[in-house]
Amino acid sequence: MELRVLRYFLAVVQEKNITKAAEKLLISQPALSKQLSDLEDELGTKLFIRGHRQITLTSEGQYLNTKAEEMVKLAKKISANIQSNQIISGDLTIGAGESIGMKRILDVLGNISQDYPDVKTHLISGDANEMEKSLNNGTLDFAVFMGERDLDDFNYLQMPETDHWGVIMREDALLANKEVIEPKDLLNLPLLVSSQALSSHRFDNWWGNLGPEMNITGTFTLAYNAELLVQSSHSYMLTFDHLLNRNNVQNLIFRPISPQIIEPITVVWKKNTVLSKVSQLFIKRLKASLQK
């Protein structure tokens, strides 16, 4: 499979029409059709279902679409980083969830952007499992993990900041007057929980035998969206401290949980890989920030 052909394939997927894709690619429609047919022959499967006005992907085509996007993105990043041999430029891609620890990292990235305007920064949101997969396939340069995780396969820097779990609720909520929230306080109350924390059973020890009695009415990946739901539905939300956005949500408060749960924040990257100059610069400056 050639990258050129994969780019042709992705253009057809985007346009959903071979003629329109050919016009976009500045090649003839018969030539593009021939390239796609050759690709199907090479893979031994049909990638498209050709309709009268547009095409749709087969399940094999959907799989190739995902992988082709990763391959083309990786090739573009490699090219940009190689071309930056004489100066600091290229792409720096970092995956992370929401956390107070991101402030230090974003400060470092902001300073790099000011000093080296040709550096392009890409921030990708996702949970730790998604981030680890992207690190391993090369589409991420770095990931930021919140919480304990096996780091044997990675190089890493531990951040001094930590995340503390607590509950966000409305100011007029039943538990608003409590200084800390214990598991028994949440019984029978509508509760929103981070989908990653729930799938990893993060609170099993905290709520103990009360777990089956917890009224979990929903999950979330982005704290801001969940805060809007708390505001409108009188729910309670288990999340990290410092994520309450008072600029957009005025009547919510945060209370820490007891016993407390504290999560480490770690920046990780692949072992045994040659880092681009911009990646090396990021690590150097991040380390320097830890000395202040």
Side-chain angles (χ1 to χ4, degrees), residues 23-220:
E23 293 173 355
K24 179 180 179 180
L25 294 167
L26 302 178
I27 63 175
S28 69
Q29 186 270 333
L32 180 56
S33 294
K34 178 67 165 55
Q35 293 283 356
L36 295 176
S37 295
D38 289 346
L39 179 60
E40 289 180 321
D41 289 342
E42 179 183 353
L43 295 175
T45 187
K46 288 292 182 183
L47 301 173
F48 301 103
I49 300 172
R50 292 163 172 80
H52 178 63
R53 293 184 176 274
Q54 69 176 32
I55 63 172
T56 56
L57 291 175
T58 63
S59 58
E60 292 81 6
Q62 292 171 352
Y63 174 78
L64 179 61
N65 181 42
T66 300
K67 296 304 177 183
E69 287 179 343
E70 292 179 357
M71 294 167 69
V72 169
K73 187 185 300 182
L74 181 59
K76 182 179 179 181
K77 185 170 70 173
I78 291 172
S79 177
N81 288 336
I82 288 176
Q83 292 170 14
S84 66
N85 186 50
Q86 301 303 318
I87 59 174
I88 300 294
S89 64
D91 292 287
L92 192 61
T93 308
I94 299 179
E98 296 174 295
S99 166
I100 185 61
M102 288 302 296
K103 184 181 186 308
R104 175 186 299 273
I105 295 162
L106 295 176
D107 285 345
V108 171
L109 292 173
N111 290 332
I112 290 175
S113 296
Q114 288 183 358
D115 294 339
Y116 303 96
D118 290 331
V119 171
K120 302 294 187 292
T121 301
H122 308 279
L123 300 175
I124 310 297
S125 298
D127 64 27
N129 291 331
E130 294 170 337
M131 296 302 101
E132 184 168 337
K133 179 180 177 182
S134 296
L135 273 178
N136 286 324
N137 66 30
T139 55
L140 281 184
D141 298 306
F142 300 92
V144 185
F145 291 158
M146 292 81 177
E148 299 289 349
R149 198 168 181 88
D150 183 3
L151 300 177
D152 288 345
D153 294 333
F154 301 101
N155 294 313
Y156 62 90
L157 283 175
Q158 190 77 57
M159 299 295 100
E161 295 83 9
T162 55
D163 286 314
H164 295 243
W165 285 97
V167 179
I168 287 178
M169 67 192 83
R170 288 172 55 115
E171 291 178 343
D172 58 357
L174 293 173
L175 304 181
N177 292 327
K178 295 183 67 68
E179 293 185 3
V180 296
I181 305 300
E182 299 177 358
K184 60 182 176 57
D185 298 325
L186 295 172
L187 288 176
N188 302 317
L189 296 177
L191 185 61
L192 303 175
V193 183
S194 157
S195 55
Q196 179 178 328
L198 192 63
S199 64
S200 64
H201 307 284
R202 189 64 185 92
F203 300 109
D204 283 6
N205 290 333
W206 182 69
W207 50 43
N209 58 9
L210 296 179
E213 300 181 52
M214 292 295 167
N215 180 26
I216 299 174
T217 57
T219 62
F220 62 90

Side-chain angles (χ1 to χ4, degrees), residues 168-173 176 227-228 230-234 244-254:
I168 287 178
M169 67 192 83
R170 288 172 55 115
E171 291 178 343
D172 58 357
E227 287 170 9
L228 296 177
V230 171
Q231 187 178 42
S232 62
S233 68
H234 295 262
L244 181 55
N245 190 334
R246 297 189 182 280
N247 291 328
N248 296 298
V249 186
Q250 299 295 327
N251 65 336
L252 300 184
I253 58 174
F254 176 88

